[in-house]
CSV table of all heavy atoms in Angstrom, one decimal:
chain,number,residue,atom,x,y,z
A,447,THR,N,13.9,59.4,-6.7
A,447,THR,CA,12.9,60.4,-6.1
A,447,THR,C,12.1,61.0,-7.3
A,447,THR,O,10.8,61.1,-7.2
A,447,THR,CB,13.5,61.5,-5.3
A,447,THR,OG1,14.3,60.8,-4.2
A,447,THR,CG2,12.5,62.4,-4.6
A,448,ALA,N,12.7,61.5,-8.3
A,448,ALA,CA,12.1,62.1,-9.4
A,448,ALA,C,11.2,61.2,-10.2
A,448,ALA,O,10.2,61.5,-10.6
A,448,ALA,CB,13.2,62.7,-10.4
A,449,THR,N,11.8,59.9,-10.2
A,449,THR,CA,11.0,58.9,-10.9
A,449,THR,C,9.7,58.6,-10.2
A,449,THR,O,8.6,58.5,-10.8
A,449,THR,CB,11.8,57.5,-11.0
A,449,THR,OG1,13.0,57.8,-11.6
A,449,THR,CG2,11.0,56.5,-11.7
A,450,VAL,N,9.7,58.5,-8.9
A,450,VAL,CA,8.5,58.3,-8.1
A,450,VAL,C,7.5,59.4,-8.2
A,450,VAL,O,6.3,59.2,-8.4
A,450,VAL,CB,8.8,58.1,-6.6
A,450,VAL,CG1,7.5,58.1,-5.7
A,450,VAL,CG2,9.6,56.8,-6.3
A,451,ILE,N,8.0,60.7,-8.2
A,451,ILE,CA,7.1,61.9,-8.5
A,451,ILE,C,6.5,61.8,-9.8
A,451,ILE,O,5.3,62.1,-10.0
A,451,ILE,CB,8.0,63.2,-8.3
A,451,ILE,CG1,8.4,63.3,-6.8
A,451,ILE,CG2,7.2,64.4,-8.7
A,451,ILE,CD1,9.4,64.4,-6.6
A,452,ALA,N,7.3,61.5,-10.9
A,452,ALA,CA,6.8,61.3,-12.2
A,452,ALA,C,5.7,60.3,-12.3
A,452,ALA,O,4.6,60.4,-12.9
A,452,ALA,CB,7.9,61.0,-13.2
A,453,LEU,N,5.9,59.2,-11.6
A,453,LEU,CA,4.9,58.1,-11.6
A,453,LEU,C,3.6,58.5,-10.9
A,453,LEU,O,2.5,58.3,-11.4
A,453,LEU,CB,5.5,56.9,-10.8
A,453,LEU,CG,6.5,56.0,-11.6
A,453,LEU,CD1,7.2,55.0,-10.6
A,453,LEU,CD2,6.0,55.4,-12.8
A,454,CYS,N,3.8,59.3,-9.8
A,454,CYS,CA,2.6,59.8,-9.2
A,454,CYS,C,1.8,60.7,-10.0
A,454,CYS,O,0.6,60.8,-10.1
A,454,CYS,CB,3.0,60.4,-7.8
A,454,CYS,SG,3.6,59.3,-6.6
A,455,SER,N,2.5,61.7,-10.7
A,455,SER,CA,1.9,62.6,-11.5
A,455,SER,C,1.2,62.0,-12.7
A,455,SER,O,0.1,62.3,-13.1
A,455,SER,CB,3.0,63.6,-12.1
A,455,SER,OG,3.6,64.2,-11.0
A,456,MET,N,1.8,60.9,-13.2
A,456,MET,CA,1.2,60.1,-14.3
A,456,MET,C,0.0,59.4,-13.9
A,456,MET,O,-1.0,59.3,-14.6
A,456,MET,CB,2.2,59.1,-14.9
A,456,MET,CG,1.8,58.5,-16.2
A,456,MET,SD,3.0,57.5,-17.0
A,456,MET,CE,4.2,58.7,-17.5
A,457,LYS,N,0.0,58.9,-12.7
A,457,LYS,CA,-1.2,58.2,-12.1
A,457,LYS,C,-2.4,59.1,-11.9
A,457,LYS,O,-3.6,58.7,-12.0
A,457,LYS,CB,-0.8,57.7,-10.7
A,457,LYS,CG,-1.9,56.9,-10.0
A,457,LYS,CD,-2.2,55.6,-10.7
A,457,LYS,CE,-3.2,54.7,-9.9
A,457,LYS,NZ,-4.5,55.3,-9.9
A,458,ASP,N,-2.1,60.5,-11.8
A,458,ASP,CA,-3.2,61.4,-11.6
A,458,ASP,C,-4.0,61.6,-12.9
A,458,ASP,O,-5.1,62.1,-12.9
A,458,ASP,CB,-2.6,62.8,-11.2
A,458,ASP,CG,-2.2,62.7,-9.7
A,458,ASP,OD1,-2.6,61.9,-9.0
A,458,ASP,OD2,-1.4,63.6,-9.4
A,459,PHE,N,-3.4,61.3,-14.1
A,459,PHE,CA,-4.1,61.4,-15.3
A,459,PHE,C,-5.3,60.3,-15.4
A,459,PHE,O,-5.2,59.2,-14.6
A,459,PHE,CB,-3.2,61.1,-16.5
A,459,PHE,CG,-2.4,62.3,-16.9
A,459,PHE,CD1,-1.1,62.5,-16.3
A,459,PHE,CD2,-2.8,63.3,-17.8
A,459,PHE,CE1,-0.3,63.5,-16.6
A,459,PHE,CE2,-2.0,64.4,-18.0
A,459,PHE,CZ,-0.7,64.6,-17.5
A,460,ASN,N,-6.2,60.5,-16.2
A,460,ASN,CA,-7.3,59.5,-16.4
A,460,ASN,C,-6.8,58.4,-17.3
A,460,ASN,O,-6.9,58.4,-18.5
A,460,ASN,CB,-8.5,60.2,-17.0
A,460,ASN,CG,-9.7,59.1,-17.1
A,460,ASN,OD1,-9.6,58.0,-16.6
A,460,ASN,ND2,-10.7,59.5,-17.9
Side-chain angles (χ1 to χ4, degrees):
T447 305
T449 303
V450 172
I451 293 170
L453 289 169
C454 293
S455 300
M456 191 174 288
K457 182 71 174 66
D458 289 338
F459 283 91
N460 181 10

